[in-house]
Amino acid sequence: MNFRTLKPILLLAVIAVFTLACKEANTTEEKIKDETAVEQKSDAAATPEKTSENEVALNPPHGQPGHRCDIAVGQPLNSQPKQQSNVNVNPPHGQPGHRCDLAVGAPLPE
């Protein structure tokens, strides 16, 4: 092979290397930004929210630290639990008495 034949091949190889190197660097920077944002969100979610006027802690979403299932999400943590109704409702999947043909929490027919 002569240099004339190798020149375009080498040029394409150099362009490919630089293109891939730049693409990997951008991906790494984006991953770092995403991980930082997730850490900041999880740090904020780890503590119950407080309102600025009364400084009352609010019930965080289900699964978050400090969540109370007996009161609604977003309600003050010092709230009284909601009253249970006498209506039988469809329990969560896998619980005794669950019916898959009804939505979870829907009233069960008597």
Side-chain angles (χ1 to χ4, degrees):
M1 281 187 149
N2 61 18
F3 184 69
R4 260 191 176 161
T5 309
L6 287 177
K7 189 175 179 181
I9 295 172
L10 290 174
L11 181 62
L12 287 174
V14 169
I15 291 172
V17 167
F18 282 113
T19 303
L20 292 175
C22 291
K23 193 175 201 179
E24 289 176 10
N26 288 341
T27 304
T28 303
E29 289 174 11
E30 290 173 6
K31 285 181 183 177
I32 291 171
K33 287 179 186 176
D34 290 343
E35 289 172 1
T36 304
V38 168
E39 287 174 9
Q40 289 173 349
K41 284 182 182 179
S42 64
D43 288 345
T47 57
E49 293 182 35
K50 294 187 179 219
T51 59
S52 59
E53 59 222 25
N54 295 335
E55 293 299 316
V56 174
L58 301 179
N59 195 21
H62 295 280
Q64 296 296 322
H67 174 74
R68 285 181 48 195
C69 289
D70 60 336
I71 59 174
V73 173
Q75 294 297 315
L77 285 173
N78 60 0
S79 298
Q80 294 297 320
K82 58 185 175 186
Q83 296 296 322
Q84 295 289 333
S85 64
N86 291 336
V87 178
N88 284 337
V89 294
N90 195 22
H93 296 279
Q95 297 296 318
H98 174 74
R99 288 185 47 187
C100 288
D101 61 328
L102 297 173
V104 172
L108 292 170
E110 293 187 26

